[in-house]
């Protein structure tokens, strides 16, 4: 994982997977080196921001040369632990949850949803989009059995904190929360909340300012 993560700005850490994906695209196209300006044009991120992000990580280019694409890929692979698989569970196989199961992070070979939970699934499990899916009564048992580290939460709002309280008693390390509820967790669990309605309202506001 990231070394000394607390010293790296959160905005920078959120851009790291994007850098890795775009660098993969450049590498697949056979490009050997790249400038911050080229990355800027491809990613629509200011080149000064890219240089600042890379300096936070210690990835410095050579003046007049830019960055070696393969060296950067190797750096980001290590930084993001791309060689170490992360087991993910999905809780709530509704509309959004079903989409996640079908997509299942096909671009990320190290991240996979390996088990899911839904109130309509039987206790002994069933296959949904080729993923083992169980009734939520099995959450604690199956999270341990499958070695789950991260959970994607797409349950109804009324169930969000109750499910989170149960997850807090397991060994998971993080929750990607797609409910509008600001869930409370113990210190050893990291939470990232994505409220689609808030994001949409923010985009509408930005559009109306132009």
């Amino acid at each position: 994982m990231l070394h000394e993560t607390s010293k790296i700005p959160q905005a920078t850490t959120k851009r790291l997977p994007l850098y890795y994906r775009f660098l993969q695209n450049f590498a697949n196209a056979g490009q050997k080196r790249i400038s911050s300006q080229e990355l800027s044009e491809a990613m629509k991120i200011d080149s000064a921001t890219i240089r600042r992000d890379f300096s936070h990580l210690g990835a410095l280019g050579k003046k007049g040369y830019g960055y070696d694409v393969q060296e950067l890929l190797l750096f980001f692979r290590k930084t993001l632990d791309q060689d170490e698989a992360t087991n993910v569970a999905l809780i709530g196989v509704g509309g959004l949850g079903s989409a996640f199961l079908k997509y299942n992070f096909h671009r990320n070979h190290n991240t996979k949803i390996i088990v899911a939970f839904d109130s309509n699934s039987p206790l002994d499990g069933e296959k949904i989009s080729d993923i083992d899916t169980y009734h939520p009564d099995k959450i604690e048992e199956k999270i341990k059995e499958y070695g789950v580290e991260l959970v994607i939460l797409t349950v109804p709002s009324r169930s969000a904190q109750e499910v989170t309280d149960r997850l807090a008693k397991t060994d998971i390390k993080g929750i990607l929360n797609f409910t509008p509820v600001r869930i409370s967790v113990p210190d050893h669990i990291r939470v990232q909340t994505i409220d689609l309605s808030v994001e949409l309202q923010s985009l509408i506001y930005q559009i109306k300012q132009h």
Side-chain angles (χ1 to χ4, degrees):
M1 295 295 287
L2 282 174
H3 298 295
E4 299 182 345
T5 308
S6 59
K7 295 182 181 178
I8 299 173
Q10 187 176 16
T12 297
T13 63
K14 286 186 175 182
R15 285 190 286 268
L16 300 187
L18 281 177
Y19 288 135
Y20 184 70
R21 179 178 295 178
F22 275 88
L23 286 166
Q24 281 182 311
N25 293 341
F26 282 113
N28 292 338
Q31 191 157 336
K32 303 296 184 186
R33 64 182 184 180
I34 191 167
S35 67
S36 57
Q37 187 59 42
E38 287 175 294
L39 262 179
S40 170
E41 290 170 2
M43 298 179 67
K44 311 302 180 191
I45 296 174
D46 182 75
S47 59
T49 298
I50 293 173
R51 289 193 297 272
R52 187 166 59 249
D53 284 349
F54 284 11
S55 68
H56 282 305
L57 300 164
L60 301 174
K62 300 171 185 174
K63 195 169 184 180
Y65 179 87
Y67 302 93
D68 184 287
V69 172
Q70 289 301 326
E71 283 184 9
L72 272 184
L73 268 180
L74 180 61
F75 174 83
F76 278 103
R77 179 181 290 277
K78 289 180 177 178
T79 301
L80 294 167
D81 271 354
Q82 287 292 308
D83 294 318
E84 184 177 323
T86 300
N87 294 332
V88 179
L90 174 80
I91 304 180
V93 188
L96 182 59
S98 295
F100 273 123
L101 287 187
K102 289 174 183 174
Y103 171 65
N104 206 2
F105 306 101
H106 292 307
R107 289 191 179 190
N108 297 358
H109 70 271
N110 73 318
T111 305
K112 287 284 184 292
I113 297 171
I114 60 169
V115 65
F117 302 92
D118 189 78
S119 57
N120 292 320
S121 293
L123 285 170
D124 56 355
E126 62 179 336
K127 290 279 189 181
I128 299 180
S129 296
D130 209 33
I131 303 296
D132 293 337
T133 307
Y134 299 91
H135 190 275
D137 286 353
K138 293 282 188 176
I139 284 176
E140 291 87 349
E141 175 189 335
K142 294 301 178 181
I143 277 183
K144 183 175 182 180
E145 179 182 324
Y146 284 81
V148 170
E149 294 181 77
L150 299 177
V151 169
I152 299 173
L153 196 61
T154 55
V155 298
S157 298
R158 64 182 181 276
S159 307
Q161 189 58 55
E162 178 190 346
V163 172
T164 300
D165 290 343
R166 292 174 62 192
L167 292 172
K169 298 172 184 175
T170 70
D171 293 330
I172 68 161
K173 298 175 181 175
I175 298 173
L176 185 58
N177 175 31
F178 277 90
T179 79
V181 177
R182 291 300 181 260
I183 55 177
S184 299
V185 296
D187 290 342
H188 68 275
I189 296 177
R190 300 296 296 270
V191 175
Q192 190 162 320
T193 297
I194 300 176
D195 188 329
L196 296 178
S197 62
V198 169
E199 297 295 334
L200 182 59
Q201 288 298 319
S202 175
L203 179 58
I204 291 171
Y205 174 78
Q206 292 174 48
I207 290 171
K208 290 183 176 180
Q209 297 311 299
H210 291 283

